[in-house]
Amino acid sequence: MIFRFNEQTHLQEKQELAIGAFDAFHKGHQALLSRLTPGCACLTLFSPLPAQVFRADFEGSICSFAQRCELAGQFGVDHILHIDFSKEFSKMLGEDFLSKVCCCMPLKKIVVGWDFCMGRNRSFSTDNLISWGQQHGIEIVIVPQMRQKDIQYSSSAVRTAVLAGEFTLLWDILGRPYSLDLRGLPAEKKNGLVIINLENSEQILPPEGEYDTNAGVAQLNGRKLSLSETVEQCKFKKKLD
């Protein structure tokens, strides 16, 4: 179930909340979600992403909001706390944010990553969170950084790999193929192909070229994606040229 921030959820059982942007659901994110107990597992989802608000050079999201909601369910999340992120919201103190969350739902545990920080000027760190948890009787779990050999599980690593068209590396980081959400985007049929207009897509795109996908051979030319068949999501396997 999706709840809006500042909306009373009326949940009776105490919940376990993972806090983060979760724009990729990479293996590092998955490690956070594995610390939640099924039946009372919640996470925050920001829309737009903080980077979309603050960075003029933001390349694009890794997943659409719909994909993030679907992935949350696949990884055992029961409830989503949907936060409409804005510059005004970013000025909220970390303590005030947590107090508002507690007004939305009863909490027994909060799970965050090793590099967690939030609130005005990103001043509320893991140390602050641990202290806050002790004061309020809420368990705090800090999940350490995850790496495997030279592979870094991070959203920045995902973006770098997408821009380079390195889909084998993406599989290693995500545990699944990189996928463009095509639902709701304008499409036309021409010369036996389905041509999707990606102008309104919020997602980051790989380099132009031909790709092996779940819809056969796909051609990406600028913001146009040509497919041999209609699919809701285009899952990239490898670059062909």
Side-chain angles (χ1 to χ4, degrees), residues 52-173:
Q52 287 176 284
V53 174
F54 286 106
R55 284 182 48 197
D57 61 344
F58 184 64
E59 304 94 338
S61 64
I62 295 166
C63 299
S64 69
F65 185 76
Q67 286 177 321
R68 286 189 280 154
C69 290
E70 291 163 355
L71 287 164
Q74 292 173 23
F75 289 115
V77 172
D78 302 289
H79 305 296
I80 291 169
L81 188 60
H82 179 194
I83 297 171
D84 295 309
F85 191 83
S86 65
K87 288 184 178 179
E88 187 62 30
F89 179 88
S90 73
K91 297 176 183 177
M92 186 182 302
L93 294 174
E95 297 91 336
D96 293 341
F97 169 78
L98 293 170
S99 294
K100 288 180 179 294
V101 170
C102 289
C103 290
C104 294
M105 63 179 68
L107 287 179
K108 62 180 177 180
K109 181 164 75 174
I110 292 176
V111 181
V112 299
W114 63 278
D115 57 349
F116 165 86
C117 58
M118 68 173 186
R120 185 184 302 170
N121 298 322
R122 298 175 62 83
S123 60
F124 195 88
S125 67
T126 52
D127 289 340
N128 300 120
L129 182 61
I130 291 170
S131 177
W132 181 90
Q134 291 171 343
Q135 294 172 24
H136 293 82
I138 295 174
E139 179 186 359
I140 304 298
V141 177
I142 312 296
V143 179
Q145 183 179 23
M146 285 192 63
R147 295 182 71 99
Q148 182 177 0
K149 296 181 180 179
D150 295 328
I151 299 174
Q152 180 180 351
Y153 300 132
S154 70
S155 297
S156 60
V158 172
R159 286 191 174 84
T160 299
V162 172
L163 290 171
E166 297 179 349
F167 293 102
T168 299
L169 176 59
L170 281 167
W171 182 278
D172 290 336
I173 300 172

